[in-house]
Amino acid sequence: MLDADTSLPHSPTSGQPTSSGAPSTLLSEQAPEQRRRLVTEIPGPRSRELAARKAGAVASGVGTMLPVYVERAGGGIVVDVDGNHLVDLGSGIAVTNVGNAAPAVVDGVREQVGRFTHTCFMITPYQGYVEVCEALNRLTPGDHEKRSALFNSGAEAVENAVKIARHATGRDAVVAFDHAYHGRTNLTMAMTAKSMPYKSGFGPFAGEIYRAPMSYPFRDTAAGVDVDGPAAAARAIATIESQVGAGNTACVVIEPIQGEGGFVVPAPGFLPALAQWCRQNGVLFVADEIQTGFARTGDLFACEHEGVVPDLITTAKGIAGGLPLAAVTGRAEVMDAVHAGGLGGTYGGNPVACAAALGAIATVEEQDLAGAARRIGDVALPLLRELAAENPAIGDVRGRGAMLAIEIVQPGTTLPHQQEAARISAACHRQGVVTLTCGTWGNVLRLLPPLVIGEDLLRDGLSVLADAVRAGLPG
Ligand SMILES: Cc1ncc(COP(=O)(O)O)c(C=O)c1O
């Protein structure tokens, strides 16, 4: 067990305050019991019934990875319509960092929705929007003067970061990286690396997007390429200088730890070297912290691990506890370079989403969820490494804080093994643990638990994962 002063909370069995008298990190009156419990097969009959209705009603391009239909969720548990309690190791793709239906989010939303739901900030503004921007300016890396603008989705934030960077620099070219994921709109599809399922058949894509090699220590080692961070940065910079030209480049957009591309943690020194080259060449360094932000990796933002201060930072997902909100935050002189009316949108910074964000941000700060993310890593990483030591199908264990992954390979090689990753994930699902896969080759199993998950629930989910991995061992 962990030392008492560093341990994660033990999962209360209900949403009541913990025995210490401290307010529960979980929930409201609807809080599900924080224990995995299966009462039907997965998916159960009511979920299957809804899946059949989905097939007749929802466009088939909108896939579902684990078709259990949700009735409620809270803390580290998702309850389906059949009454199954599943351990949530996905947080709706890194969104519910504060847990589902977190009290401060619920309270903020309830209060706001009873007063007004929309006016459009560009028409008649409101305080919540300003407060979220103030919080972002205060919390994002760097103590320079900042400004923020709010949008609805991560992709929209990335689009706007590019608009702002182009406007501020007067340059066109945008550099993204191998394995990058930035969204599904036309511009962000162009920036996203992986073809299937994100891009295939959806072109032509936006122009002036260029791709540079990423630092991917596991695969760089396998390829005999220099894994040293500064050397990997030099490789990327050489590509940019020769194929784009520093003087044509408006911005370099990078996820400090890549998300959908495989939870790729670049080698130490890669990000600082890249940021320094940007500074020296008048290129804006844009950190896409849509998946890594809001305490997920053990600091509020992943850039902080290496002291990198981005010119612009995009956030979404964990910002608002599940309500749609996204932001671009950056240097005041860059953000304010855009003419009045040049940024916005009907719903951007919706008042209900802003109320949720203020609740989520307060929760992250007051409950030190960055510390909680580090402790999740302290519990999970040794277990994953132990599992890797005994199982040659795990080629790499990586990640930071509560953003962790195992990369599945053909045993004894570094060849990606997508089917085995899918098998492990499906076995977890059958046992009531929500796991996700990712990666350019779909062979990475990723863990993104809510940061309020109790230690026993986390360990239970990890032991199900370990059993699923071991079931694939030959003999
Ligand atoms: C790093 C990153 N950028 C951008 C996006 C796009 O966000 P959204 O799905 O909200 O448009 C995502 C979503 O997964 C992401 O992980």
Side-chain angles (χ1 to χ4, degrees):
M1 298 301 289
L2 299 170
D3 294 336
D5 60 338
T6 58
S7 65
L8 291 163
H10 281 269
S11 308
T13 52
S14 74
Q16 299 308 307
T18 54
S19 55
S20 68
S24 169
T25 51
L26 307 173
L27 238 275
S28 64
E29 61 273 21
Q30 301 271 314
E33 186 185 8
Q34 295 296 299
R35 190 172 296 154
R36 180 169 58 99
R37 185 155 47 90
L38 299 186
V39 293
T40 70
E41 72 278 22
I42 299 290
R46 296 189 62 198
S47 278
R48 289 202 301 271
E49 211 176 290
L50 284 164
R53 283 172 58 188
K54 174 198 178 256
V58 179
S60 55
V62 183
T64 48
M65 184 203 64
L66 169 53
V68 296
Y69 281 72
V70 177
E71 192 261 323
R72 67 205 153 101
I77 287 286
V78 172
V79 184
D80 74 11
V81 288
D82 291 291
N84 297 300
H85 285 50
L86 295 92
V87 179
D88 183 5
L89 297 185
S91 300
I93 322 186
V95 170
T96 50
N97 293 4
V98 294
N100 240 302
V105 173
V106 172
D107 291 349
V109 165
R110 278 199 179 129
E111 193 279 330
Q112 177 60 49
V113 88
R115 285 194 296 121
F116 66 98
T117 50
H118 174 82
T119 60
C120 186
F121 189 76
M122 300 183 304
I123 305 302
T124 48
Y126 39 87
Q127 184 171 327
Y129 189 116
V130 178
E131 286 181 358
V132 171
C133 292
E134 286 170 347
L136 286 164
N137 298 346
R138 174 172 62 83
L139 295 172
T140 50
D143 49 17
H144 50 277
E145 196 174 344
K146 297 175 205 150
R147 300 283 185 270
S148 292
L150 304 183
F151 305 97
N152 301 292
S153 68
E156 209 188 335
V158 173
E159 292 245 358
N160 277 279
V162 169
K163 278 169 64 173
I164 294 163
R166 284 176 168 162
H167 205 291
T169 59
R171 304 173 181 179
D172 293 336
V174 172
V175 174
F177 286 80
D178 288 335
H179 313 288
Y181 183 88
H182 297 291
R184 294 173 182 262
T185 57
N186 187 265
L187 174 62
T188 58
M189 272 194 295
M191 296 168 69
T192 289
K194 186 174 173 176
S195 175
M196 272 303 272
Y198 308 124
K199 303 168 72 166
S200 186
F202 298 136
F205 303 114
E208 285 304 306
I209 308 296
Y210 299 88
R211 198 163 304 287
M214 180 65 183
S215 165
Y216 191 154
F218 173 61
R219 300 224 155 260
D220 287 349
T221 309
V225 174
D226 201 341
V227 292
D228 174 64
R235 178 172 48 139
I237 290 163
T239 301
I240 300 169
E241 287 182 339
S242 63
Q243 297 183 23
V244 191
N248 300 317
T249 306
C251 59
V252 162
V253 184
I254 190 161
E255 301 152 87
I257 297 177
Q258 289 183 322
E260 305 304 299
F263 280 31
V264 179
V265 185
F270 178 76
L271 294 171
L274 207 57
Q276 188 188 13
W277 177 85
C278 285
R279 233 179 354 265
Q280 288 165 347
N281 290 278
V283 175
L284 297 175
F285 183 90
V286 183
D288 180 346
E289 293 242 21
I290 285 163
Q291 191 150 165
T292 49
F294 293 99
R296 172 57 55 191
T297 66
D299 267 316
L300 267 186
F301 296 96
C303 273
E304 294 173 50
H305 295 293
E306 289 200 81
V308 170
V309 176
D311 299 300
L312 298 176
I313 179 167
T314 56
T315 52
K317 291 189 182 278
I319 192 174
L323 272 84
L325 190 74
V328 182
T329 300
R331 295 187 183 283
E333 67 276 16
V334 174
M335 296 292 293
D336 285 342
V338 178
H339 51 266
L343 303 175
T346 304
Y347 294 113
N350 167 271
V352 182
C354 285
L358 293 171
I361 291 168
T363 304
V364 167
E365 290 196 276
E366 286 162 15
Q367 297 187 9
D368 182 24
L369 292 189
R374 288 195 293 276
R375 290 190 289 278
I376 288 169
D378 291 344
V379 169
L381 269 173
L383 295 175
L384 296 175
R385 289 195 179 117
E386 223 172 87
L387 199 57
E390 67 184 58
N391 195 311
I394 300 179
D396 194 25
V397 176
R398 58 179 178 256
R400 207 174 263 149
M403 185 170 180
L404 303 169
I406 52 178
E407 178 156 0
I408 308 298
V409 293
Q410 307 272 3
T413 76
T414 55
L415 294 173
H417 199 336
Q418 178 179 8
Q419 295 83 350
E420 181 63 0
R423 184 198 64 75
I424 295 167
S425 198
C428 291
H429 298 168
R430 280 195 300 277
Q431 293 304 315
V433 177
V434 183
T435 50
L436 318 177
T437 54
C438 65
T440 295
W441 302 281
N443 66 320
V444 177
L445 211 127
R446 58 173 154 170
L447 304 178
L448 291 161
L451 306 181
V452 295
I453 194 168
E455 182 179 338
D456 37 7
L457 206 54
L458 175 65
R459 286 187 184 277
D460 179 44
L462 290 168
S463 80
V464 167
L465 170 63
D467 288 347
V469 170
R470 289 186 182 120
L473 275 175

